Amino acid sequence: MSNIKKIRIGIIGCGGIAQQKHLPSLVKLGDKVELTAFCDTLIERAEQAARQYGNDNSAVYTDYKKLLEDTSIDVVHVCTPNVSHSTITVDALEAGKHVMCEKPMAINSEEAKKMLNAAKRTGKKLSIGYQNRFRKDSILLNQACQEGDLGEVYFAKAHAIRRRGVPTWGVFMDKEKQGGGPLIDIGTHALDLALWMMNNYKPKLVVGSAYQKLIDKPEGNMFGPWNPEEYKVEDSAFGYIKMEDGATITLEASWALNMLHEKEAQVTLCGTEAGAEMFGDPDKNEGYVTFNTTKYGQRIESETTRSSGIAYFEGQEDDDMGYLEAKQWIDAIINDGEPLVKPEEAYVVTQILEAIYESAETGKAIELN
């Protein structure tokens, strides 16, 4: 790789998701990339990220537009609050950068469409951070769907349930900056998985409910008690999605819900030939899939092991989903390929989430084109 030009990367937003996923994943790519610029509204946070992940020549900014003026930067990762995803991404694409934007794509479909249009107009690559597609169990189940093992998948459940897992840091509870709560935060991952497994991106009708029932009951939260006065988003939300071909998806998302069994970033699929359900701990990449069907006059279940092979990344020594996401994304840029997560797919996720919120607010079913 020494004779090959490194992909020069700028990070906009050096907070939690950049520190937990993007930065440690990118540095694992070694000679393929160079982290050359770091931007955050808090200068000390950008400086700390530059010291830890950059080099002596890394630049530090508080204004992302200054970072975009650097014509040597090839790629920008947008890791800011949801409300700014669209504006920063469009500006970065217009500045000639490829963009990896953290999920969700945007706070509403209008903002997401601006991103989609900018990518098409500039010819630059755009992808959204749905790293759960890169888990072992996700890739295995997607492969089973692609090969027709489940037949026609006509019903799915998208699970994003926490019993008491309200994120009490940052701006997660700020509706203005995030656009919503658990639905747009973790429900977006589960919905992305369901649509990807089904390879179905044509929603027709959406009905949704959203609740603020437990915001004054912070006891037992895994991240410590929250301040009810700062809790401006839903604590749970649920959606019923009917697709153009008649298929149905139900989506359940909560940060706080009196539900015994938690299930996050996982799906249940029901097809004409077989069904499948995800179990285990996806955060530790210890998820597994149980398939069910009928044969020999019997109901049959078969369970995958937790060391399932990664079909898309054979021989890969590191199975961390954040790293695999970064590797596939950078390889797509180097080889002029296509990112696994396409912006057109992420746009449909945003459309559906927005419709669930709208239906919850108006009490009406929302029709989508």
Side-chain angles (χ1 to χ4, degrees), residues 225-341:
W226 62 83
N227 182 351
E229 294 182 0
E230 296 176 355
Y231 204 129
K232 304 299 182 182
V233 296
E234 80 278 2
D235 48 48
S236 61
F238 308 89
Y240 173 90
I241 304 125
K242 187 154 188 175
M243 311 302 283
E244 285 185 6
D245 65 357
T248 301
I249 302 171
T250 62
L251 170 60
E252 52 184 20
S254 73
W255 283 340
L257 188 70
N258 289 325
M259 176 79 79
L260 181 60
H261 299 292
E262 298 182 304
K263 202 170 179 64
E264 186 173 337
Q266 294 174 319
V267 297
T268 300
L269 305 177
C270 302
T272 54
E273 299 299 322
E277 186 166 355
M278 290 173 146
F279 293 98
D281 189 342
D283 283 340
K284 296 179 180 178
N285 215 350
E286 293 179 351
Y288 60 95
V289 181
T290 297
F291 293 93
N292 70 85
T293 187
T294 56
K295 200 170 184 179
Y296 313 120
Q298 300 289 324
R299 292 182 295 182
I300 296 174
E301 288 116 40
S302 60
E303 182 179 300
T304 65
T305 66
R306 298 189 179 199
S307 58
S308 304
I310 302 180
Y312 295 168
F313 306 98
E314 290 182 3
Q316 191 56 252
E317 73 287 350
D318 192 326
D319 63 4
D320 175 73
M321 56 186 167
Y323 165 72
L324 293 175
E325 175 188 65
K327 182 181 184 302
Q328 199 275 336
W329 162 241
I330 295 302
D331 284 347
I333 294 168
I334 292 173
N335 301 315
D336 193 24
E338 200 168 29
L340 181 63
V341 180

Side-chain angles (χ1 to χ4, degrees), residues 166-184 210-216 226-237 255-256 357 361:
V166 179
T168 53
W169 62 92
V171 296
F172 280 102
M173 295 183 290
D174 187 331
K175 186 174 183 179
E176 182 179 339
K177 292 182 178 178
Q178 288 296 91
L183 180 63
I184 201 169
Y211 298 99
Q212 287 182 313
K213 298 292 188 180
L214 302 179
I215 60 175
D216 61 345
W226 62 83
N227 182 351
E229 294 182 0
E230 296 176 355
Y231 204 129
K232 304 299 182 182
V233 296
E234 80 278 2
D235 48 48
S236 61
W255 283 340
Y357 280 127
E361 187 174 337

Side-chain angles (χ1 to χ4, degrees), residues 124-252:
K124 292 298 175 180
K125 299 185 192 301
L126 170 62
S127 190
I128 308 301
Y130 287 120
Q131 74 274 3
N132 284 284
R133 290 196 192 187
F134 294 84
R135 295 186 339 234
K136 294 175 181 178
D137 56 335
S138 300
I139 291 171
L140 182 143
L141 181 52
N142 184 258
Q143 185 176 353
C145 291
Q146 287 183 357
E147 294 182 5
D149 293 348
L150 274 61
E152 176 195 353
V153 180
Y154 56 92
F155 177 65
K157 294 181 180 180
H159 310 284
I161 295 293
R162 295 179 187 170
R163 183 176 174 183
R164 287 295 189 282
V166 179
T168 53
W169 62 92
V171 296
F172 280 102
M173 295 183 290
D174 187 331
K175 186 174 183 179
E176 182 179 339
K177 292 182 178 178
Q178 288 296 91
L183 180 63
I184 201 169
D185 177 44
I186 57 176
T188 191
H189 277 300
L191 180 57
D192 173 69
L193 285 177
L195 297 174
W196 184 52
M197 299 299 176
M198 300 170 77
N199 191 27
N200 191 340
Y201 291 92
K202 294 183 177 180
K204 180 180 181 181
L205 186 73
V206 176
V207 178
S209 299
Y211 298 99
Q212 287 182 313
K213 298 292 188 180
L214 302 179
I215 60 175
D216 61 345
K217 302 179 186 298
E219 185 179 8
N221 190 50
M222 63 188 296
F223 302 118
W226 62 83
N227 182 351
E229 294 182 0
E230 296 176 355
Y231 204 129
K232 304 299 182 182
V233 296
E234 80 278 2
D235 48 48
S236 61
F238 308 89
Y240 173 90
I241 304 125
K242 187 154 188 175
M243 311 302 283
E244 285 185 6
D245 65 357
T248 301
I249 302 171
T250 62
L251 170 60
E252 52 184 20

